[in-house]
Structures are given as C-alpha cells and as structure tokens.
Amino acid sequence: MSDFPTTARVVIIGGGAVGVSTLYHLAKAGWTDCVLLEKNELTAGSTWHAAGNCPNFSASWAVMNMQRYSLEMYRTLADEVDYPMNYHVTGALRLGHTKERMQEFERVASMARYQGLEMDMLTPQEALNYYPFMETHDLEGVLWDPLDGDIDPAQLTQAMAKGARDLGASIQRFCPATGVSRDNDEWIVHTDKGDIKCEFVVNCAGYYAKRVGEWFKPYGGRDVPLTVMSHQYFLTEEIPEIEAWTKENGKKLPMIRDVDSSYYLRQDKHGLNLGPYERNCKAHWVTPEDPMPQDFSFQLYPDDLDRLEWYIEDAMGRVPLLGTSGVGRVINGPIPYAPDGLPLMGPMPGVKNAFEAHSFTFGIVQAGGAGKVMAEWITEGETEWDMWAVDSRRYTEHADFDFCLNKALETYGHEYAMHFPHHEWPAARNKKLSPNHDRLVADGGQMGAYNGWERANWFAKDGDDTSEAATETWNRNGPWAVRVKEEVEAVRDGVGVIDMCGFSRYALKGDGAAEWLRSRVAGALPKVGRMNLVYFADTRGRVVTEMSCIRHGEDAFTLMTAALAQWHDFELLWRNLPDGLELIDISKDYTTMLVTGPKSRALLAGLSDADLSLGWLSIQSAAVAGQEAMLARVSFVGELGWEVHVPTAQAAVVYDAIRDAGAVPFGMFALDSMRIEKGYRTWKGDLSTDYTLHEAGLGRFVRLAKPQDFPGKAALAAEAETGSKKAFVTLVVDAGDADAPYMSTVYKDGAVVGETTSGNYGYRVSKSIALGVVRADLAAPGTELEVEIYGQKCRAVVQADAPLWDPENERLRA
C-alpha cells in the first residue's frame, strides 16, 4: 500500500489498449505524474479477445490519420520500448463487387496517397498473384493495401505499458475505480485501495464506459451514448495447403476483406480466421433479463454460429480452402459501439477537466493514434488534426437508449457500408421534430437528420423515386436532381422558404459580456441592433468555429451556430466563461425560417409590420403573421432575404402563413448548392482546425490591431508577417457525374498540392464547384489544377476571390 499513489495529474480509468496508449503518450509528452487504474489485468476487456486487425483504410480523414499514425508507431514500438511483439504486415485485399464500391476504393486510395500511403487498384486477375486460393469471377476489382496486417493485442498493450512505466507513469492493476467526487477544482477518484486526488480524469473504460459515465452525471455529465454488441469470429484448424504456401513464400497470406459480403478472412498460424459483421446482429446487456455483470474480465459470450451461417457459406465460396477444415475455436465477445461506429473521444460533455476515449470498434488499430490525440487534448487543449468525426460532443440529448441501440444494430450490420452523399440511414429517426414537420412531409419533404433534427433535404413530387435504393450512388443525378434545380430556380426568380429547425443558439449577457467576447474572437463585434460573423481560433490561429453574433444591447447577445455544433460550441464559451456572465442554451426555445429570393420583401410586407428597408446585417423585432419574431437581414443562399426567428411554439403559424402567401419550400440540398456558389463555408468541412483563419480565406475577419489578446493572435500575426503556405480557393471543376467530395486530392503536374473541403453543383451558374485549400503559389485566378473525384482526375480552374454568383452582392443587398 505504501506504493499506492494518492495524488496524480491525470487518472485514466481502464487498462485496455486505448487507456494504456493514452498513458504512454502522456508520459512521452512529459506528463509522467499520471496513473492508470485497471480493475483486473491489463487487456481484460475487449482488448484481450480482439482480432488485432490493422488496416489503414478509412473513409474518415480523421480516423485514417489515427490509423496511419498507429501503424507507423507499431512498426518501431518493439525496438523503442524493448518489448517483443508479433506484428505481421501482410497486406490486405479489399474486394469490390460493384462499380460503386470501386469508386469508394478510389476515393479512399486518393486520401491515403495524400497522407503518404500507397494503395493500389488491382484487377481480379492481378489479385490472384497475392492470394491464389481465392475465387474472383464475380469481382469488379480489388484494392491492395500493402501496409495492412495484424498485431497481438496483448503484446501491443504490454509494450506500451512498459514504455509508460519506463518513463515514470504508474499502472495500478487489480484496482477497480469505484466512483469520483470533487474537492474544489480537483477530482477525487475512489478505489478499494484508497483515493487519488487529481487534476484530470479520463474515461477509457471500454464497454464499461457507460457505467463509469454515470459517476460524472452529478457534475454535469450525460448518459454515455454507447451500446455493447456481440462480435464473433472463429479460427479453423490447420490447413495443409496454407502451411505449404507459407513455407514456400516465407510469409503469411494477405488478409481478405469481402466488404460487400461483410466479413474479413485472414491467416492465423496455418489456419484461417473468419470474422463476419452480420445483419442479424445482437446487442447485449440492454434488457433487464440480460444485465451487465459487475465484472466480465477475460470472459466471452456463448457461441452463436447459426447467426453467421450465410457469411460462412459465402466465405467458403470465395476461398474454398475454408471449407476443408473444422472450426478450432470460436470467439464471441463484447465490443462497444457508438451510434455511428466511430469512437467517442475528447472533452467529456458538460464536465470540466474530464475526458473520454472509449467505444472503439477497431480499438487495436486506432489505439496508437488515439493515445496521441488524447495526450494533445489533455496537455495542450487542442489536437494536431481536426477530430470532430470522433468528438464525443457530436451526440446530444437525442442520443437516448432507443437511438443508441437501434443505430448500433444498424451500424454493426452495415460495418462496411458505403456512405453515399444523398443517402440517409433510416434507423432511430424522428428524434427532434420541427413544429412544421407534418407540413414538410405533406409537401413531399425527403427528410435528413441534423443533430437529431429532421429537416427536408428536397421535396419530391408524385412519381419521383423516393426509395432508399435510389440514393445509393456517388453520382450527382438521382431523383432529387431535377427537384433541387427547380427549388434553386424558385429562389433565384421568386421567393422560397426553408425550415431551419435546430440552429444552435446561446444567450449571453452580463456586465462585461462584450469585452469578454472581444477577448475570445479574432475580429470585431457588431454594433447594437446588428449582426455579423465572428470566428474563434485556437492558439495556433486555426479555425475552431464560426458563429453568427446578434447584438441586442451593449452586453446582450445571441450567438448562433450550426445544429451539429450545439454542445461543441456551447462548451467553447462555457469552459472559458468568467464569473458574472450568464450563458444559456436556448436552441429548443426558438426556430428559424429563411425567406429569400427577389420577391421576399414583397411577401413579408404582406405578413409583417417590419421595416423591410433596413440594410444587410440589420436585426429588428417585428410581428410576422401576428406572432412575435426577430428578423435578421441575411441569407445563406446569397439572395435578398431574411431569417425569421420565432418562438418554437408559434413556428407553425408563421410557416403556414409564409407558405400560404406563395413561398416555395426548398431543402438542404438546394441550400448547399446555392451557398457554395457564394463561397460560404460549411462547419467542420471548410471550417476546421486543419486550417488557420488566413489559410481558410478569413483574414478579413481578423483584427490584429485590437488591444484584446484573443487566442491565436500571436500565431496569426506571425503568419500575416511571413505569409501563408496555403490559400483558400474556389474551383470550377470539369466534373463528370459526381462533384468533389470532402478531402478530394488536388494535383498540379502530377504532384499533390492541396485538397477540397466541399463540393457541389451550382444550378444558378451551371457549374460543378469545389472549395478547397491549395499551395499558396497556386491560388492565382486562372491557375489550372486537377481534382481527383472517385479515381478520375478532373480539370479545375482557380476562380477570382469573389462569389461565382452575384460577385458584387447586389442581389443580397437589394
């Protein structure tokens, strides 16, 4: 007991691969006064029974960064910490059955090449050179990743543990954490061996993270949005042909991932390991009859191979050798799933000085990168890469038990699914409904979920194909395309209305609120009675977020941001809020309709007593359809227009009046088409911490001369002095059937020179448009570049630094 630490800077709860990696990276960063608590032996949770597969492949830029870092780290870790590991870099063949799957492969391979990884496209015949035992007659093509492989999860974890201990960090095994409490600004973590007082706590408890999360609810926490899924794989007995091939070639066979059939197949010793992700999957510990046990260390569920019958037969058809040997061992263990299958990482929502890193479905391959990211978040408050894709705050109060369970079942059953740009997943919908929802649906609204809010993406007419299957394409043109064009034209030529339920909005007031805001944002505040955009930077001058700042009085503001940003942006304000100021999330209390188009003034004049002659960026209180409202003279589509903000309870009356007066409803697809023609940025697409404010083309919103020392000021001043290495550009692309997706690689003379941050078709200018960031010397108007779109390099021309539609903003200010 004398060696038991009673104080620490950081306490990590959970001794799986991710928790140990976090400890290791904290120690490497110089934070050696850190303690990891594990209730049993290290790896006792999901880590011990993990298959240990290590792909680079991911359709998420952030996740690919994490996995790339992990695999680079694992290749040298054994020597670095002097701990032997079984790590086999075998390469992997990812099989494509359809044209759409091959397009996905091309896109990910392009992202990989940008990150310095080589992935090659093979014909089915070429794939046989790598794996001669495979049937290929029904394949469209194959993706080859030479750096894929597998690692022993226990050895990996123990190697990182040795590295952490050698640097001075403490690991307490067989020491379960039993709760937490607060002592002023410090945490007290309770254990059976005693209490540990610390500055930061990290929930790395794997499938027990939900239970650990309960301890933090008295201090502002929430129900952790995870579900525990049962994942099975089995190992065959030895197969003589595989043993002979291995001896002849001196290496293992590469892994196969038949993603359209939904399983992986890899060599294990001289047999095979088959791991399906079955549609008829099963969650555990979700009913009173199946409660979560207090301790499930080193335990498994009963075998249930009947669920896998179709997948086993399919795999035997693909590799007939699989059917020549018996089953040697079945592994059926718990894996935590967030609703989208990506990890939950970062600051714990609602709780200061607490973090979480859990719900990893591919925790072994992501552990190295996760530890790096978590150490940065804890020690620096910011990460090298923009990590919104895995940020815990992406799920808000809509992620209840029903949502988490049904999304986990959907996600697990579609683990290898393609995420098409116009497709909406159907499970766990209608969590947050606009007061106008019924009318939107009656008008043909095809709905999409935005932070749980249902918004119309487009409006179908009789006879349109609204099936889910119709959306399973990367192409621009589907049943929605003609309707989106009509909606854009209605806004361009007349007046349209979009129901923008779910905007995140916060009321900020109190003596000194204005001065405090000036110390947080890079630019200026609006005058009383007006609004503008304000940008928040991190210490490196990178874009953290954008908010609309509406100023009602000297120290009274409404700050508005994207629906998805609700918890992220609230916490950006709340975590730095000084005593004496009041900050309230009023997102549910109000809703917004955008009424826009050249005839919008005439329409509103018939419904409102507002002064519609007030200029751009003005705000005013007025009655609309007899209801109280605030009108803001702004339009995200770049036409004359007003945002009509009303109490949620009165929204249906106002919307019905606007529709009945002749406004044409338009959806999010049309909105995005029009905003890109204006060069307006999207949150966590064009606006992310991957770019500084200067690189994002937002220098005009930076006020370096103001006296306040806002975050990032020094970095932005230095960049302004030396010049930026990157520049934000608008590109007109000679695209084919598809527009450039997020993070499409940009080339000049065969060399990678940048990436797109968003792309869409502009129906008012009849052009495919991409926004992006390129090498600064290539930002001159007229520069010809190439954008790779699903494997096709398309000519792209840099445009002048002005909107493509209405470059002088005459329509907007009319």
Side-chain angles (χ1 to χ4, degrees):
M1 288 297 292
S2 60
D3 294 332
F4 185 77
T6 58
T7 63
R9 196 162 190 188
V10 183
V11 171
I12 297 167
I13 300 171
V18 173
V20 174
S21 179
T22 301
L23 183 74
Y24 176 55
H25 282 85
L26 283 168
K28 288 183 72 174
W31 284 37
T32 56
D33 183 16
C34 300
V35 177
L36 182 144
L37 302 175
E38 165 54 45
K39 68 165 62 177
N40 196 283
E41 179 58 87
L42 296 181
T43 77
S46 292
T47 297
W48 82 271
H49 63 75
N53 300 331
C54 288
N56 280 299
F57 187 100
S58 176
S60 162
W61 185 256
V63 171
M64 182 181 282
N65 265 319
M66 278 203 304
Q67 293 178 176
R68 172 184 54 78
Y69 174 90
S70 292
L71 301 194
E72 290 172 357
M73 170 186 156
Y74 299 168
R75 289 194 286 272
T76 61
L77 181 63
D79 292 336
E80 184 175 323
V81 302
D82 190 25
Y83 191 96
M85 291 191 301
N86 289 320
Y87 180 26
H88 308 107
V89 181
T90 61
L93 299 163
R94 199 168 283 253
L95 312 184
H97 294 226
T98 65
K99 172 190 170 187
E100 288 76 19
R101 182 63 78 175
M102 294 306 295
Q103 287 177 284
E104 181 203 40
F105 289 172
E106 292 276 14
R107 165 161 164 68
V108 173
S110 178
M111 291 166 54
R113 285 190 288 271
Y114 187 107
Q115 292 195 17
L117 302 167
E118 285 301 322
M119 294 184 184
D120 298 322
M121 309 303 294
L122 307 178
T123 66
Q125 189 63 37
E126 289 171 331
L128 290 174
N129 295 329
Y130 295 90
Y131 204 110
F133 306 114
M134 175 173 61
E135 297 295 324
T136 63
H137 61 279
D138 59 342
L139 299 181
E140 186 82 15
V142 178
L143 174 72
W144 167 244
D145 178 1
L147 293 177
D148 205 326
D150 61 88
I151 197 166
D152 185 298
Q155 291 175 343
L156 169 65
T157 306
Q158 295 294 350
M160 292 188 291
K162 181 178 185 298
R165 289 189 184 104
D166 289 348
L167 290 168
S170 172
I171 296 176
Q172 299 294 315
R173 299 172 301 142
F174 303 101
C175 182
T178 57
V180 299
S181 58
R182 292 287 280 176
D183 181 10
N184 295 319
D185 291 333
E186 292 184 301
W187 289 104
I188 300 174
V189 181
H190 306 291
T191 81
D192 291 339
K193 295 182 180 180
D195 293 344
I196 306 175
K197 184 174 285 191
C198 61
E199 187 177 352
F200 301 101
V201 182
V202 191
N203 180 358
C204 293
Y207 53 73
Y208 277 101
K210 194 178 186 77
R211 180 172 288 172
V212 171
E214 291 292 313
W215 304 342
F216 293 89
K217 288 171 75 172
Y219 309 102
R222 88 302 188 204
D223 291 329
V224 173
L226 76 81
T227 301
V228 179
M229 297 296 297
S230 153
H231 178 58
Q232 291 187 94
Y233 63 91
F234 70 83
L235 310 175
T236 71
E237 296 169 343
E238 293 199 352
I239 300 172
E241 292 89 340
I242 291 179
E243 182 178 11
W245 188 93
T246 302
K247 290 179 178 178
E248 180 181 348
N249 291 275
K251 60 183 181 181
K252 292 173 64 175
L253 285 161
M255 178 177 290
I256 289 175
R257 287 187 179 83
D258 196 334
V259 289
D260 289 310
S261 294
S262 194
Y263 58 79
Y264 63 81
L265 183 68
R266 85 159 202 243
Q267 183 176 339
D268 189 274
K269 297 181 179 152
H270 293 138
L272 291 170
N273 172 341
L274 176 67
Y277 290 90
E278 69 277 16
R279 293 287 171 90
N280 56 327
C281 52
K282 184 176 182 180
H284 270 286
W285 306 333
V286 293
T287 65
E289 295 75 33
D290 181 28
M292 174 179 272
Q294 276 300 116
D295 190 357
F296 202 68
S297 299
F298 295 113
Q299 296 183 59
L300 295 172
Y301 302 130
D303 302 350
D304 190 8
L305 287 182
D306 289 347
R307 287 207 323 257
L308 309 185
E309 182 178 356
W310 183 92
Y311 303 88
I312 295 169
E313 291 178 356
D314 190 82
M316 288 192 299
R318 178 68 56 206
V319 180
L321 280 181
L322 179 65
T324 66
S325 179
V327 175
R329 187 183 180 201
V330 178
I331 309 293
N332 184 11
I335 297 182
Y337 261 70
D340 59 3
L342 297 182
L344 294 166
M345 298 173 58
M348 186 181 293
V351 185
K352 292 186 177 180
N353 292 348
F355 293 82
E356 50 191 12
H358 55 73
S359 303
F360 286 78
T361 64
F362 296 95
I364 303 306
V365 68
Q366 292 165 9
K372 163 191 155 62
V373 167
M374 291 309 302
E376 292 168 347
W377 241 320
I378 295 164
T379 64
E380 302 174 35
E382 55 197 45
T383 55
E384 178 184 355
W385 314 308
D386 190 288
M387 297 306 297
W388 174 247
V390 298
D391 194 305
S392 297
R393 294 164 292 188
R394 71 190 187 273
Y395 288 108
T396 63
E397 72 277 4
H398 67 285
D400 57 13
F401 174 84
D402 168 79
F403 179 92
C404 293
L405 173 59
N406 284 289
K407 293 303 287 186
L409 292 167
E410 179 181 65
T411 299
Y412 181 99
H414 297 83
E415 181 59 62
Y416 295 121
M418 293 173 277
H419 295 273
F420 297 108
H422 296 95
H423 177 251
E424 293 285 340
W425 291 98
R429 296 294 296 275
N430 295 333
K431 286 298 178 181
K432 300 178 186 175
L433 299 183
S434 162
N436 308 311
H437 182 77
D438 290 346
R439 178 145 191 184
L440 294 171
V441 172
D443 282 338
Q446 303 304 301
M447 311 306 286
Y450 298 82
N451 187 28
W453 288 96
E454 296 288 328
R455 291 179 180 170
N457 283 329
W458 62 286
F459 288 87
K461 295 184 178 178
D462 289 346
D464 288 345
D465 184 355
T466 59
S467 67
E468 186 178 359
T471 69
E472 294 173 341
T473 174
W474 303 109
N475 290 355
R476 171 192 318 115
N477 291 323
W480 56 84
V482 65
R483 303 300 170 220
V484 172
K485 183 174 186 290
E486 290 171 353
E487 292 168 25
V488 169
E489 290 169 346
V491 172
R492 180 195 66 190
D493 301 333
V495 56
V497 60
I498 183 171
D499 180 74
M500 293 290 287
C501 60
F503 263 137
S504 303
R505 66 187 83 208
Y506 324 115
L508 172 69
K509 62 183 179 179
D511 291 342
E515 185 59 25
W516 177 72
L517 262 186
R518 289 189 189 98
S519 73
R520 303 305 304 172
V521 304
L525 302 183
K527 295 178 180 178
V528 175
R530 293 185 60 77
M531 68 182 296
N532 65 6
L533 292 175
V534 293
Y535 291 89
F536 294 77
D538 66 11
T539 61
R540 298 174 225 184
R542 303 177 305 175
V543 183
V544 175
T545 196
E546 167 197 86
M547 297 189 201
S548 293
C549 180
I550 300 170
R551 192 169 188 179
H552 308 287
E554 181 62 29
D555 283 316
F557 299 87
T558 297
L559 295 163
M560 291 180 52
T561 183
L564 292 171
Q566 184 182 1
W567 282 9
H568 176 281
D569 282 8
F570 182 83
E571 294 203 345
L572 178 68
L573 301 167
W574 167 70
R575 290 180 185 273
N576 298 288
L577 194 71
D579 292 339
L581 298 188
E582 182 180 61
L583 178 72
I584 304 174
D585 187 329
I586 56 172
S587 303
K588 287 183 177 180
D589 300 332
Y590 295 88
T591 190
T592 301
M593 294 141 239
L594 172 59
V595 181
T596 186
K599 298 180 181 178
S600 56
R601 179 177 280 120
L603 183 144
L604 287 171
L607 297 175
S608 173
D609 61 1
D611 180 357
L612 300 175
S613 67
L614 295 181
W616 189 46
L617 300 181
S618 64
I619 61 170
Q620 60 181 306
S621 296
V624 178
Q627 308 299 317
E628 62 172 295
M630 183 188 74
L631 270 62
R633 177 75 192 277
V634 66
S635 172
F636 196 54
V637 307
E639 300 284 353
L640 172 69
W642 285 262
E643 288 179 353
V644 181
H645 302 271
V646 296
T648 303
Q650 279 77 54
V653 173
V654 176
Y655 184 78
D656 284 344
I658 292 168
R659 282 283 290 112
D660 294 346
V664 175
F666 67 99
M668 296 296 290
F669 291 172
L671 180 83
D672 195 66
S673 169
M674 290 184 278
R675 72 90 196 164
I676 204 168
E677 293 173 313
K678 297 294 293 181
Y680 296 156
R681 317 303 201 249
T682 56
W683 194 82
K684 290 304 179 187
D686 313 299
L687 301 168
S688 83
T689 53
D690 287 328
Y691 312 108
T692 70
L693 282 163
H694 291 312
E695 290 171 342
L698 300 169
R700 66 189 183 279
F701 293 98
V702 178
R703 297 288 186 271
L704 294 174
K706 72 179 188 178
Q708 294 81 12
D709 185 22
F710 58 87
K713 185 176 184 179
L716 290 166
E719 185 181 355
E721 183 74 22
T722 61
S724 302
K725 295 180 181 179
K726 301 177 182 178
F728 194 85
V729 293
T730 298
L731 301 169
V732 168
V733 187
D734 293 344
D737 295 330
D739 303 306
Y742 173 68
M743 285 296 171
S744 297
T745 306
V746 180
Y747 296 87
K748 176 67 174 178
D749 299 329
V752 175
V753 296
E755 67 273 6
T756 64
T757 52
S758 63
N760 206 338
Y761 193 81
Y763 288 96
R764 291 178 297 194
V765 299
S766 300
K767 291 178 171 64
S768 181
I769 305 165
L771 305 183
V773 176
V774 301
R775 218 171 61 202
D777 62 300
L778 298 174
T783 303
E784 292 195 13
L785 305 170
E786 289 183 304
V787 175
E788 189 169 8
I789 303 176
Y790 304 118
Q792 300 296 314
K793 288 186 178 178
C794 304
R795 176 177 175 268
V797 179
V798 176
Q799 303 298 298
D801 186 17
L804 291 178
W805 176 250
D806 185 27
E808 302 299 325
N809 286 327
E810 293 172 350
R811 296 170 69 93
L812 188 66
R813 300 172 183 264

